Amino acid sequence: MKNAKISNAVINRLPRYRRYLMELQKKGVEKISSKEFSNLIGYTASQIRQDLNNFGGFGQQGYGYSVESLREEIDAILGLDKEYRMVIMGAGNLGQAITKYANTIKGGFKVSGVFEVNKNLIGTMLEGIEIMDYEDIVEFVEKEKIDIGIICVDRENAQEVADKLCFAGVKGIWSFARTDIEVPKHVALEVVHLSDSIHTLAYRMNDIKKTDAKKGGRKKTD
Amino acid sequence: MKNAKISNAVINRLPRYRRYLMELQKKGVEKISSKEFSNLIGYTASQIRQDLNNFGGFGQQGYGYSVESLREEIDAILGLDKEYRMVIMGAGNLGQAITKYANTIKGGFKVSGVFEVNKNLIGTMLEGIEIMDYEDIVEFVEKEKIDIGIICVDRENAQEVADKLCFAGVKGIWSFARTDIEVPKHVALEVVHLSDSIHTLAYRMNDIKKTDAKKGGRKKTD
DNA sequence: TAGATTGTTAATCGATTAACAATC
DNA sequence: TAGATTGTTAATCGATTAACAATC
């Protein structure tokens, strides 16, 4: 495995490679060349080879890539061979929605607790998990060795909750709060801006109307 | 308003500009220079001016930008001055989660219906909306003038549902399905890969551990 | 007017694509 | 071995940043 800093563009493509490899595995495909993969996934063969070679030489000249072992390599690169214990911060509408979703995530991701400040919610159940008091979060993270904090609180409180989680010792934060937050360098951060996402959709809908594209062609994801 | 094709990088930054402008407005700030905005939002002043000038000259030399009118301009660019009628496709766990979330979206976005194939769910209520039969989707989109279809079905069925929605006449698709889909050129598409997102978080958590970054510094969103 | 700050052109940087030698 | 396809270096493309003339 090489060592230079990997660009975000590359990192963001890794889960996609993995999804296609899983599909291929499910279909029983054993090997794939970068050219065949290119036709399937829509990146150039050159980019695929370039991307993978950031992490090592997983292919074999004259043959291509073994679907199974490439998929295992990418799993290991992404850290999907490990377990992750998570807490949800905030049991309002957003927290309820994300808790429901988080329970369906495949792999080693497990929701261990939900935390709230609203006394009326504390002690009630959400998706089979008891809602606990925000006051107890630091102790819980330490005792239960929580890896990831999922932030589902209001914009106004997101930074404070992030600070608390980082203090408590989480290694990563996944935020759905409608704001930008900062974390110490040793904590990983991934922010999902769902409202930004639908706003760009609105832009594209109106842009299409304006340029009045002729119908018929097809457009791929990304 | 200019006309050249706007890059995705620019489009993706627009909602973020808007969020910061809303905050400034709330605080009663009336004008901002690209330099001040840069300090706040973390893009270079040059990039801010470059981005905005894709759509028109909204500033005034020697003064800066009016927070209120710039925010209005961006609202108009994004199409947030319009109403959008939406349907949720799929009332399983993901559909339930997204319906809960979609009800909280601010602005002109309104959920008008939820559709399912599972006969046991059809006719029951979800977040105050009656779940309807997938068989009736085309008629509903036409009659209710639905603009956006939100796809929350299984990977296996996502493309079929997208095809149906496009046939019915939606102008945009917001997909949360764990797969890539294709739509005709005249339909806008925005895909949210939540599982990809948490996978990149896992990567970054492990990457930090490997490079063993010294603690202390702070990292901003994006 | 003088100072400030935009709008825009030019320079730089980074990411993608092309080419090809290495090698299975 | 000959053919195929990788790994990697070089060329291109696009996006970001810097510079500065225009102008409020």
Side-chain angles (χ1 to χ4, degrees):
Chain A
M1 196 174 286
K2 319 247 180 116
N3 224 352
K5 182 80 177 76
I6 308 297
S7 79
N8 273 334
V10 174
I11 297 167
N12 291 332
R13 282 193 291 270
L14 291 175
R16 182 164 163 151
Y17 286 123
R18 181 173 174 275
R19 275 192 281 117
Y20 280 86
L21 288 168
M22 286 177 75
E23 282 298 298
L24 287 166
Q25 254 188 305
K26 200 176 292 176
K27 285 188 192 141
V29 178
E30 288 187 1
K31 74 126 198 159
I32 192 162
S33 70
S34 57
K35 186 141 171 270
E36 292 164 325
F37 207 5
S38 170
N39 290 332
L40 192 64
I41 203 171
Y43 304 140
T44 63
S46 198
Q47 177 157 75
I48 292 167
R49 295 201 301 277
Q50 199 70 278
D51 281 355
L52 297 178
N53 276 84
N54 281 299
F55 305 98
F58 304 134
Q60 192 174 328
Q61 279 104 325
Y63 175 81
Y65 298 85
S66 150
V67 170
E68 185 185 2
S69 66
L70 183 54
R71 186 249 162 117
E72 283 166 6
E73 294 283 2
I74 291 181
D75 273 9
I77 291 165
L78 288 170
L80 299 183
D81 49 356
K82 300 185 178 63
E83 301 276 311
Y84 298 91
R85 298 167 68 79
M86 314 191 291
V87 288
I88 310 261
M89 306 305 290
N93 274 310
L94 183 57
Q96 290 169 31
I98 299 302
T99 303
K100 195 176 265 291
Y101 171 74
N103 270 334
T104 73
I105 301 174
K106 303 266 198 334
F109 300 92
K110 168 115 193 306
V111 179
S112 301
V114 177
F115 289 83
E116 238 307 323
V117 285
N118 182 340
K119 302 286 181 196
N120 295 328
L121 291 173
I122 296 167
T124 66
M125 302 295 284
L126 174 58
E127 303 290 324
I129 304 159
E130 193 192 334
I131 299 177
M132 289 173 273
D133 191 335
Y134 177 60
E135 296 285 312
D136 302 329
I137 182 64
V138 174
E139 191 188 359
F140 189 87
V141 166
E142 288 169 357
K143 210 177 78 192
E144 299 290 324
K145 305 213 181 309
I146 298 301
D147 304 289
I148 296 174
I150 306 181
I151 297 184
C152 301
V153 301
D154 286 350
R155 187 170 44 71
E156 294 78 17
N157 301 305
Q159 184 62 58
E160 190 213 301
V161 170
D163 291 345
K164 185 84 86 179
L165 286 166
C166 293
F167 172 80
V170 301
K171 298 197 285 274
I173 285 186
W174 201 25
S175 177
F176 291 83
R178 211 182 296 256
T179 186
D180 299 321
I181 59 180
E182 298 186 6
V183 296
K185 270 214 306 281
H186 64 281
V187 176
L189 174 66
E190 173 78 8
V191 180
V192 179
H193 280 298
L194 292 176
S195 62
D196 286 13
S197 171
I198 198 168
H199 290 172
T200 62
L201 177 64
Y203 172 85
R204 292 198 182 91
M205 288 169 63
N206 287 287
D207 194 45
I208 286 171
K209 215 185 307 165
K210 262 187 304 239
T211 56
D212 196 34
K214 43 274 155 218
K215 310 191 179 189
R218 285 184 89 74
K219 208 173 39 183
K220 289 189 105 176
T221 302
D222 293 352
Chain B
M1 197 175 285
K2 320 245 179 117
N3 225 352
K5 182 82 177 74
I6 308 297
S7 81
N8 273 334
V10 174
I11 297 167
N12 290 333
R13 282 192 292 269
L14 290 176
R16 181 163 162 152
Y17 286 124
R18 181 173 175 274
R19 274 192 282 117
Y20 280 86
L21 289 167
M22 286 177 77
E23 282 298 299
L24 288 166
Q25 254 189 302
K26 201 176 291 175
K27 285 188 192 140
V29 178
E30 288 187 359
K31 73 125 196 158
I32 192 161
S33 70
S34 58
K35 187 143 170 269
E36 291 165 326
F37 207 6
S38 170
N39 290 332
L40 193 64
I41 202 171
Y43 304 141
T44 63
S46 198
Q47 176 157 75
I48 293 167
R49 296 200 301 277
Q50 199 71 276
D51 281 354
L52 298 177
N53 276 83
N54 281 299
F55 304 99
F58 304 134
Q60 192 176 326
Q61 279 105 327
Y63 174 81
Y65 298 84
S66 149
V67 170
E68 185 185 2
S69 67
L70 183 54
R71 186 250 161 117
E72 283 166 5
E73 293 284 2
I74 291 180
D75 274 8
I77 292 164
L78 287 170
L80 300 183
D81 48 357
K82 299 186 178 62
E83 301 276 311
Y84 298 90
R85 297 167 68 80
M86 315 191 291
V87 288
I88 310 262
M89 307 304 292
N93 274 312
L94 184 57
Q96 290 169 31
I98 300 300
T99 304
K100 194 175 266 290
Y101 171 73
N103 270 334
T104 73
I105 301 175
K106 302 267 196 338
F109 300 92
K110 168 116 194 309
V111 179
S112 300
V114 176
F115 290 82
E116 239 305 324
V117 285
N118 181 341
K119 302 287 182 198
N120 295 330
L121 291 173
I122 295 166
T124 65
M125 302 295 284
L126 174 57
E127 301 292 321
I129 305 159
E130 194 191 334
I131 298 175
M132 290 173 272
D133 191 337
Y134 177 59
E135 296 285 312
D136 302 330
I137 182 64
V138 174
E139 192 188 357
F140 189 86
V141 166
E142 288 167 356
K143 211 178 77 194
E144 299 289 324
K145 304 208 181 316
I146 299 301
D147 304 290
I148 297 174
I150 306 181
I151 298 184
C152 302
V153 301
D154 285 348
R155 189 169 43 73
E156 294 78 18
N157 300 304
Q159 185 62 59
E160 190 213 301
V161 170
D163 291 345
K164 186 82 86 179
L165 286 166
C166 294
F167 172 80
V170 302
K171 299 197 286 277
I173 284 186
W174 201 25
S175 176
F176 291 83
R178 211 180 296 255
T179 186
D180 300 320
I181 58 179
E182 297 187 7
V183 296
K185 269 214 308 278
H186 64 280
V187 176
L189 174 66
E190 172 78 9
V191 181
V192 179
H193 281 298
L194 291 177
S195 62
D196 287 12
S197 170
I198 200 168
H199 290 172
T200 62
L201 177 64
Y203 172 85
R204 292 197 183 90
M205 287 168 63
N206 288 287
D207 193 45
I208 285 172
K209 213 186 307 165
K210 260 187 304 240
T211 56
D212 196 35
K214 42 272 155 219
K215 308 191 180 188
R218 286 184 90 73
K219 206 173 41 185
K220 290 189 104 175
T221 303
D222 292 352

